[in-house]
Amino acid sequence: MRKLNVLGGMMLLSITALATVANAEDVNKYKVGFVVQNQTINYFLNVIKGIEDHQDDYGIEVQVIDGQSDIEKQITGVENLITSNVDCIVICPDSPEAMVDVVKESREAGIPVVSWSEWIDGSNSWLTLDNYEYGYVNGQISANWIKENFEDPADAHVMFIYVHGNEQLEQRGQGMMDAINDIVPDATISDAAQSGNTTEAGQTAVEKVIQKDPDLNVVVCANDSVALGAYEAMKAAGKNDDDCCITGCDADDENLKKIAANTMIKGTADIGAYNQGEKFCKIVLDTIAIGADKELEDPVYVDFIPVTSENISDYVK
């Protein structure tokens, strides 16, 4: 169970920390390490781009470690950042439990830690989202498409692709499945056992399932990278854009273009990945301000909204 010390005034901390670096030319920049799960995933690329574009404004110098979906590489990356004596470490873990010891090591070295997405016990602060609701919004888009396009929801053959073995991403998957069950409970579930978070994983998962269920026509994906892979597999199988629905999360540029072009990618959820970059800069300064011995009171949540053909013009001109 996560236990945080009560510290109020996060806004005051932000103002104080920002004042410390108001003139970046007159102070040394804070060195901050970001350990991401996998840099082939567009979400991480967009967040890091937002961080890098704002780092000078906040007096931060960013170093990115690609975990390559390998927990040992993530642990080694954190250890190297500790050795290099950075001022703060941000970690998006594949396994939060596996990172507990190295987070303790970081704090003992006087380096505070920000948990990214999943909470790592012992961290000083946490930037996250409600993964269940994020998944539910995604599944809701597919469910509403089914309602609009099938007189008999049983004609909708649905599969789900999300990461298994990761608590937060399993919550996202549960949200996806619950939305379908709540809105179109009679839909045919083709498969809910596929795990993955990359384009390649999405393509492989759909290729596998479509061999068992040639009538597959709805794929609910945990992110937009997976959705692109699902799209490639469905097109290769001769599926028609008008007759199928693929949804994802993160509002990646390529997926937004495909929604605008009326392809079988019908929707996504916009998490504002690029805009999270500045939010990360702020929470990093707040965390550095309190130091490695204290913890921020509450997690910082990111917002998201559904994107479909109805509002795609707000994203793609």
Side-chain angles (χ1 to χ4, degrees):
M1 177 70 69
R2 166 175 163 263
K3 185 178 180 181
L4 297 180
N5 294 335
V6 176
L7 288 177
M10 280 193 62
M11 184 175 295
L12 179 59
L13 281 170
S14 292
I15 295 171
T16 303
L18 281 172
T20 305
V21 294
N23 189 343
E25 293 179 356
D26 296 335
V27 297
N28 293 324
K29 290 184 177 180
Y30 291 118
K31 293 179 172 58
V32 183
F34 284 79
V35 181
V36 304
Q37 287 181 359
N38 192 315
Q39 278 194 276
T40 67
I41 298 172
N42 289 329
Y43 163 72
F44 292 112
L45 293 175
N46 290 331
V47 174
I48 293 300
K49 179 67 163 59
I51 294 167
E52 291 174 341
D53 285 354
H54 288 95
Q55 61 183 337
D56 289 342
D57 298 333
Y58 288 83
I60 292 171
E61 182 179 318
V62 173
Q63 180 179 348
V64 181
I65 305 294
D66 184 358
Q68 300 177 27
S69 297
D70 184 328
I71 194 63
E72 292 302 324
K73 285 186 171 63
Q74 292 173 25
I75 291 172
T76 299
V78 175
E79 290 173 339
N80 290 339
L81 290 168
I82 294 171
T83 300
S84 65
N85 198 31
V86 297
D87 295 292
C88 183
I89 300 174
V90 182
I91 309 171
C92 188
D94 269 294
S95 169
E97 293 81 8
M99 305 300 290
V100 171
D101 288 344
V102 77
V103 166
K104 181 180 179 182
E105 181 183 341
S106 179
R107 290 187 62 172
E108 288 175 349
I111 302 170
V113 176
V114 180
S115 283
W116 177 355
S117 185
E118 290 202 76
W119 170 252
I120 307 170
D121 194 35
S123 298
N124 301 85
S125 58
W126 187 17
L127 192 146
T128 188
L129 76 158
D130 187 326
N131 265 287
Y132 179 85
E133 289 300 327
Y134 195 42
Y136 197 95
V137 165
N138 173 7
Q140 202 169 35
I141 297 170
S142 288
N144 289 336
W145 183 86
I146 291 169
K147 283 185 67 176
E148 293 170 3
N149 288 273
F150 293 100
E151 291 185 10
D152 183 357
D155 291 335
H157 289 231
V158 185
M159 72 173 288
F160 304 92
I161 311 173
Y162 62 95
V163 176
H164 298 253
N166 178 302
E167 182 181 358
Q168 290 287 321
L169 296 181
E170 284 188 342
Q171 289 177 11
R172 188 181 305 183
Q174 189 62 54
M176 289 155 49
M177 292 185 286
D178 284 354
I180 295 293
N181 186 60
D182 289 347
I183 299 169
V184 281
D186 295 329
T188 300
I189 306 303
S190 291
D191 195 290
Q194 300 304 308
S195 178
N197 64 352
T198 65
T199 298
E200 181 181 4
Q203 184 167 354
T204 300
V206 170
E207 289 171 346
K208 183 187 302 183
V209 171
I210 210 166
Q211 291 179 11
K212 298 183 296 183
D213 184 5
D215 294 326
L216 179 69
N217 49 19
V218 179
V219 187
V220 189
C221 307
N223 68 34
D224 279 349
S225 293
V226 172
L228 284 178
Y231 173 82
E232 294 300 328
M234 295 286 273
K235 292 297 286 186
K239 296 291 184 177
N240 187 282
D241 285 326
D242 293 336
D243 299 331
C244 299
C245 172
I246 300 171
T247 59
C249 292
D250 300 340
D252 291 345
D253 286 345
E254 188 59 33
N255 298 66
L256 293 173
K257 291 174 184 176
K258 283 183 164 48
I259 295 170
N262 296 315
T263 72
M264 67 181 73
I265 295 184
K266 307 296 188 195
T268 184
D270 178 18
I271 197 175
Y274 177 83
N275 293 332
Q276 283 181 44
E278 186 167 16
K279 188 165 285 196
F280 265 115
C281 291
K282 292 176 181 178
I283 195 172
V284 161
L285 292 185
D286 288 340
T287 306
I288 291 172
I290 63 169
D293 295 332
K294 298 179 180 179
E295 297 162 345
L296 295 182
E297 177 182 1
D298 297 313
V300 176
Y301 286 95
V302 300
D303 302 317
F304 50 85
I305 58 173
V307 182
T308 65
S309 59
E310 293 183 1
N311 62 342
I312 190 62
S313 61
D314 294 338
Y315 293 84
V316 179
K317 303 303 179 184

